[in-house]
Coordinates of all heavy atoms in Angstrom, one line a residue:
P1 N 95.5 48.8 186.2 CA 94.3 48.2 186.9 C 94.2 48.5 188.3 O 93.1 48.5 188.9 CB 94.6 46.7 186.7 CG 95.5 46.6 185.5 CD 96.4 47.8 185.6
V2 N 95.3 48.9 189.0 CA 95.3 49.3 190.4 C 94.7 50.7 190.5 O 93.9 50.9 191.4 CB 96.7 49.3 191.0 CG1 96.6 49.6 192.5 CG2 97.4 47.9 190.8
L3 N 95.0 51.5 189.6 CA 94.4 52.9 189.5 C 92.9 52.7 189.3 O 92.1 53.4 189.8 CB 95.0 53.8 188.5 CG 94.5 55.2 188.4 CD1 94.5 55.9 189.7 CD2 95.3 56.0 187.3
Q4 N 92.5 51.8 188.4 CA 91.1 51.6 188.1 C 90.4 51.1 189.4 O 89.3 51.4 189.7 CB 90.9 50.5 187.0 CG 91.2 51.1 185.6 CD 90.9 50.1 184.5 OE1 91.1 48.9 184.7 NE2 90.6 50.6 183.3
A5 N 91.1 50.2 190.1 CA 90.5 49.7 191.4 C 90.3 50.9 192.3 O 89.2 51.0 193.0 CB 91.4 48.7 192.0
A6 N 91.2 51.8 192.4 CA 91.1 53.0 193.2 C 89.9 53.9 192.7 O 89.1 54.4 193.6 CB 92.4 53.8 193.3
D7 N 89.8 54.0 191.4 CA 88.7 54.8 190.9 C 87.3 54.2 191.3 O 86.4 54.9 191.7 CB 88.7 54.7 189.3 CG 90.0 55.4 188.7 OD1 90.6 56.2 189.4 OD2 90.3 55.0 187.6
I8 N 87.2 52.9 191.2 CA 85.9 52.2 191.6 C 85.6 52.2 193.1 O 84.6 52.6 193.5 CB 85.9 50.8 191.0 CG1 86.0 50.8 189.5 CG2 84.7 50.0 191.5 CD1 86.4 49.4 188.9
L9 N 86.7 51.9 193.8 CA 86.4 51.7 195.3 C 86.4 53.0 196.0 O 85.8 53.0 197.1 CB 87.5 50.7 195.8 CG 87.4 49.3 195.3 CD1 88.6 48.5 195.8 CD2 86.1 48.7 195.6
L10 N 87.0 54.0 195.5 CA 86.9 55.3 196.1 C 85.5 55.8 196.3 O 85.1 56.5 197.3 CB 87.7 56.4 195.3 CG 88.0 57.7 196.0 CD1 88.7 57.5 197.3 CD2 88.9 58.5 195.0
Y11 N 84.6 55.4 195.4 CA 83.2 55.7 195.4 C 82.3 54.5 195.8 O 81.1 54.5 195.7 CB 82.8 56.3 194.0 CG 83.6 57.5 193.7 CD1 84.8 57.3 192.9 CD2 83.3 58.7 194.1 CE1 85.6 58.3 192.7 CE2 84.2 59.8 193.9 CZ 85.3 59.6 193.1 OH 86.2 60.6 192.9
K12 N 83.0 53.4 196.3 CA 82.4 52.2 196.7 C 81.4 51.7 195.7 O 80.3 51.3 196.0 CB 81.7 52.5 198.1 CG 82.7 52.9 199.2 CD 82.1 52.8 200.6 CE 83.2 53.1 201.6 NZ 82.7 52.9 203.0
G13 N 81.9 51.5 194.5 CA 81.1 51.0 193.4 C 80.8 49.5 193.7 O 81.6 48.7 194.1
N14 N 79.5 49.2 193.6 CA 79.0 47.8 193.8 C 78.9 47.0 192.5 O 79.1 45.8 192.5 CB 77.6 47.8 194.4 CG 77.5 48.7 195.7 OD1 77.0 49.8 195.6 ND2 77.9 48.2 196.8
V15 N 78.7 47.8 191.4 CA 78.5 47.1 190.1 C 79.4 47.8 189.1 O 79.5 49.1 189.1 CB 77.0 47.3 189.7 CG1 76.8 46.7 188.3 CG2 76.1 46.6 190.7
V16 N 80.0 47.0 188.2 CA 80.9 47.5 187.2 C 80.4 47.0 185.9 O 80.6 45.8 185.6 CB 82.4 47.1 187.4 CG1 83.3 47.8 186.4 CG2 82.8 47.5 188.8
P17 N 79.8 47.8 185.0 CA 79.4 47.4 183.7 C 80.6 47.2 182.8 O 81.3 48.2 182.5 CB 78.4 48.5 183.2 CG 78.8 49.7 184.0 CD 79.4 49.2 185.3
V18 N 80.8 46.0 182.3 CA 82.0 45.8 181.5 C 81.7 44.8 180.4 O 80.8 44.0 180.5 CB 83.2 45.2 182.3 CG1 83.7 46.3 183.2 CG2 82.8 44.0 183.1
G19 N 82.5 44.8 179.4 CA 82.5 43.7 178.4 C 83.4 42.6 178.9 O 84.1 42.7 179.9
E20 N 83.3 41.4 178.3 CA 84.0 40.2 178.8 C 85.5 40.5 178.9 O 86.2 39.9 179.8 CB 83.6 39.0 178.0 CG 82.2 38.6 178.2 CD 81.9 37.2 177.5 OE1 82.9 36.6 177.1 OE2 80.8 36.9 177.4
D21 N 86.0 41.3 178.0 CA 87.5 41.5 178.0 C 88.0 42.3 179.2 O 89.2 42.3 179.5 CB 87.9 42.2 176.7 CG 87.3 43.6 176.5 OD1 86.1 43.8 177.0 OD2 87.9 44.5 176.0
Q22 N 87.1 42.9 179.9 CA 87.5 43.7 181.1 C 87.2 43.0 182.4 O 87.5 43.5 183.5 CB 86.7 45.0 181.1 CG 87.0 46.0 180.0 CD 88.4 46.5 180.1 OE1 88.8 47.0 181.2 NE2 89.2 46.4 179.1
I23 N 86.8 41.8 182.3 CA 86.5 41.0 183.6 C 87.8 40.8 184.4 O 87.8 41.0 185.6 CB 86.0 39.6 183.2 CG1 84.5 39.7 182.7 CG2 86.0 38.7 184.4 CD1 83.5 40.2 183.8
P24 N 89.0 40.6 183.8 CA 90.2 40.5 184.6 C 90.5 41.7 185.5 O 91.0 41.6 186.6 CB 91.3 40.3 183.6 CG 90.6 39.7 182.4 CD 89.3 40.3 182.4
H25 N 90.1 42.9 185.0 CA 90.3 44.2 185.8 C 89.4 44.2 187.0 O 89.8 44.6 188.1 CB 90.0 45.4 184.9 CG 91.1 45.6 183.9 ND1 91.0 46.6 183.0 CD2 92.2 45.0 183.6 CE1 92.0 46.6 182.2 NE2 92.8 45.6 182.5
V26 N 88.1 43.7 186.8 CA 87.2 43.7 187.9 C 87.7 42.7 189.0 O 87.6 43.0 190.2 CB 85.8 43.4 187.5 CG1 84.8 43.4 188.7 CG2 85.3 44.4 186.4
E27 N 88.3 41.6 188.5 CA 88.8 40.6 189.5 C 89.9 41.2 190.3 O 90.0 40.9 191.5 CB 89.2 39.4 188.7 CG 89.6 38.2 189.7 CD 88.5 37.9 190.7 OE1 87.3 37.9 190.4 OE2 88.9 37.6 191.9
I28 N 90.8 42.0 189.7 CA 91.9 42.6 190.4 C 91.3 43.6 191.4 O 91.8 43.6 192.6 CB 92.8 43.3 189.4 CG1 93.7 42.3 188.6 CG2 93.8 44.3 190.2 CD1 94.5 42.9 187.6
T29 N 90.3 44.3 191.1 CA 89.6 45.2 192.0 C 89.1 44.4 193.2 O 89.2 44.8 194.4 CB 88.5 46.0 191.3 OG1 89.1 46.8 190.3 CG2 87.8 46.9 192.3
R30 N 88.4 43.3 192.9 CA 87.8 42.5 194.0 C 88.9 42.0 194.9 O 88.8 41.9 196.1 CB 87.0 41.3 193.4 CG 85.7 41.8 192.7 CD 85.1 40.7 191.9 NE 84.8 39.5 192.8 CZ 83.8 39.3 193.6 NH1 82.9 40.3 193.7 NH2 83.6 38.2 194.3
E31 N 90.0 41.5 194.3 CA 91.2 41.0 195.1 C 91.7 42.1 196.1 O 92.0 41.8 197.2 CB 92.3 40.5 194.2 CG 91.9 39.2 193.5 CD 93.0 38.8 192.5 OE1 94.1 39.3 192.6 OE2 92.7 38.0 191.6
I32 N 91.9 43.3 195.5 CA 92.4 44.4 196.3 C 91.5 44.7 197.4 O 91.9 45.0 198.6 CB 92.7 45.6 195.4 CG1 93.9 45.3 194.5 CG2 93.0 46.8 196.3 CD1 94.2 46.4 193.5
A33 N 90.2 44.8 197.1 CA 89.2 45.1 198.2 C 89.2 44.1 199.3 O 89.2 44.4 200.5 CB 87.8 45.2 197.6
R34 N 89.3 42.8 198.9 CA 89.3 41.7 199.8 C 90.5 41.8 200.7 O 90.4 41.6 201.9 CB 89.2 40.4 199.0 CG 88.9 39.2 199.9 CD 88.3 38.1 199.0 NE 89.1 37.8 197.9 CZ 88.7 37.9 196.6 NH1 87.5 38.4 196.3 NH2 89.5 37.6 195.6

């Protein structure tokens, strides 16, 4: 999930389309960005 956070934030993604089961990964990304 940390590598996924790097994937998203490297391109400064604002929106992440996910199913409900992937919400925890987005939250980890948000925590790391914060």
Side-chain angles (χ1 to χ4, degrees):
V2 184
L3 180 54
Q4 286 185 330
D7 297 337
I8 295 166
L9 295 177
L10 194 54
Y11 303 91
K12 299 195 176 185
N14 308 101
V15 177
V16 185
V18 292
E20 290 188 12
D21 61 328
Q22 292 292 310
I23 289 293
H25 289 177
V26 182
E27 186 53 40
I28 288 174
T29 299
R30 289 171 55 83
E31 289 175 17
I32 289 174
R34 193 157 53 242

